[in-house]
Amino acid sequence: MTESIEESIKKGYCSWRKNPEIGVPYLLAAVITAALSIVCMIAVVFVSSVAAGFSGNLDSTSSTIITFAAPVLSCGFSLIIIVAVNAYFLAGAIGMSLESALRGKTSLSDMAYYGQKKIFDVSKSIFLWMLLLLVPGLILLVPPVAAFYSGAFNPGISLTLLSAVLYLTYAAVFVFLYTLTAIAIVADDVGAIDGLKNSYAYAKKNKAKILLTLSTYMGFMYGLSLAYSALTSPVGLLRFYSQNAYSAAEVLLMLAFMLIASFIATPLYTLWLTRIYVEEPKDARTERERILRPQTRERRGTQRDIYVRSP
């Protein structure tokens, strides 16, 4: 018998209270991603400037190729690193949520285990999502661009609005399924394509549960935003004392809000989604199986065995 959505939300919250370290992967992901983004931007600028200086002694064709390829390759390499880091921590966080949902207890060692095990599959799913979001957007850009290019201004505006509505609707559905796909990859121990198929099949059968879970998460985030507004309102008085002090306080409060959201709100949402996903009976079509981390075997005692020779 499956849990009701109220039971899943309540038990997910209790799991988070017993295992607050579930927020650590998201916190580390936010901090490391921010640091890596700064380092990657500096690296891209440096590589581009070195390539521009080196290509000055070459012919125009080679110079153009090198000048164009250097930032593209460095940006692509930086993107791969950032995606891999986020995939590791996302898989680790979902693995911790899975252990917490099915065994009641988890630890950071679960993060390392599931992160290492599913980093490639989750990374591929992230790139798959990027592709699925990028290609339809480019396709929907063609009609309005063609209309503006041909001089049809009013039809171009109408097509732009229509394309924007269609793309936002499409993107909302895919973003809605993003976390669920990663959960399917980890919980079912499958690849990126199968994870997308499993998550879509599950979402199609359990739209109400997922929408209620998302609504609970959005309500929680709204409560956090109200608390943030209540805290930042008195800080506005610093503007009359010093604009620099006000700006610094605003930045610090924004960082604190983002860290709290990463440590509390996002792990709760992952716990709720993981719980409702694994509580669903095994689907006959996808044959989902829960693959948990093998339990650590008990260590053998250090006392030597004593043998008695029979007379």
Side-chain angles (χ1 to χ4, degrees):
M1 183 176 179
T2 60
E3 295 178 345
S4 65
I5 186 63
E6 295 85 0
E7 289 175 327
S8 297
I9 290 174
K10 181 180 178 181
K11 290 181 180 180
Y13 173 72
C14 292
S15 295
W16 175 81
R17 286 187 59 188
K18 292 178 183 178
N19 304 279
E21 59 269 29
I22 292 175
V24 172
Y26 290 105
L27 187 63
L28 290 175
V31 173
I32 294 175
T33 299
L36 275 177
S37 299
I38 295 172
V39 172
C40 289
M41 284 191 291
I42 295 173
V44 168
V45 172
F46 175 76
V47 170
S48 300
S49 61
V50 170
F54 175 75
S55 61
N57 301 323
L58 302 175
D59 59 274
S60 60
T61 304
S62 301
S63 176
T64 303
I65 293 174
I66 292 176
T67 305
F68 176 76
V72 170
L73 292 176
S74 54
C75 285
F77 184 70
S78 300
L79 180 63
I80 291 172
I81 294 175
I82 292 173
V83 166
V85 168
N86 280 273
Y88 175 84
F89 286 116
L90 179 58
I94 292 170
M96 293 176 73
S97 300
L98 184 66
E99 293 284 338
S100 175
L102 298 183
R103 286 179 175 157
K105 188 66 179 172
T106 187
S107 65
L108 292 178
S109 63
D110 294 324
M111 178 191 76
Y113 173 80
Y114 286 99
Q116 293 174 5
K117 181 180 180 182
K118 305 305 293 183
I119 181 173
F120 293 110
D121 291 322
V122 176
S123 295
K124 286 187 286 186
S125 74
I126 293 175
F127 283 114
L128 177 63
W129 279 103
M130 290 180 181
L131 187 64
L132 290 173
L133 285 174
L134 181 63
V135 172
L138 293 176
I139 293 173
L140 287 172
L141 273 177
V142 173
V145 169
F148 283 122
Y149 184 76
S150 63
F153 186 74
N154 290 332
I157 294 177
S158 301
L159 287 172
T160 301
L161 293 175
L162 179 61
S163 297
V165 170
L166 290 174
Y167 181 74
L168 288 175
T169 304
Y170 171 83
V173 173
F174 270 80
V175 172
F176 179 67
L177 289 174
Y178 169 72
T179 304
L180 194 60
T181 299
I183 290 172
I185 290 172
V186 176
D188 299 341
D189 194 20
V190 295
I193 302 296
D194 289 332
L196 180 59
K197 291 178 180 178
N198 290 4
S199 63
Y200 178 73
Y202 176 83
K204 203 164 60 168
K205 292 174 56 180
N206 299 273
K207 292 185 285 291
K209 273 190 173 183
I210 298 176
L211 284 172
L212 285 172
T213 306
L214 181 62
S215 300
T216 305
Y217 169 69
M218 297 301 293
F220 187 79
M221 289 298 294
Y222 180 69
L224 283 179
S225 65
L226 289 179
Y228 172 77
S229 300
L231 288 173
T232 53
S233 295
V235 174
L237 296 174
L238 288 174
R239 188 180 304 174
F240 299 102
Y241 173 73
S242 171
Q243 184 64 36
N244 292 332
Y246 169 72
S247 300
E250 195 175 31
V251 169
L252 288 175
L253 284 173
M254 178 61 73
L255 289 174
F257 175 78
M258 293 175 63
L259 291 178
I260 290 173
S262 299
F263 192 77
I264 299 176
T266 309
L268 268 174
Y269 181 55
T270 305
L271 266 169
W272 290 332
L273 276 183
T274 302
R275 190 166 195 95
I276 66 171
Y277 185 80
V278 300
E279 284 296 326
E280 183 76 8
K282 187 173 71 172
D283 192 332
R285 194 176 73 163
T286 59
E287 293 294 326
R288 291 199 304 265
E289 295 284 354
R290 310 302 173 209
I291 310 297
L292 290 179
R293 177 188 178 190
Q295 292 289 293
T296 305
R297 299 175 68 180
E298 294 183 1
R299 299 176 65 181
R300 295 182 61 185
T302 56
Q303 184 176 0
R304 296 180 61 186
D305 295 331
I306 300 175
Y307 297 93
V308 179
R309 181 180 297 176
S310 59

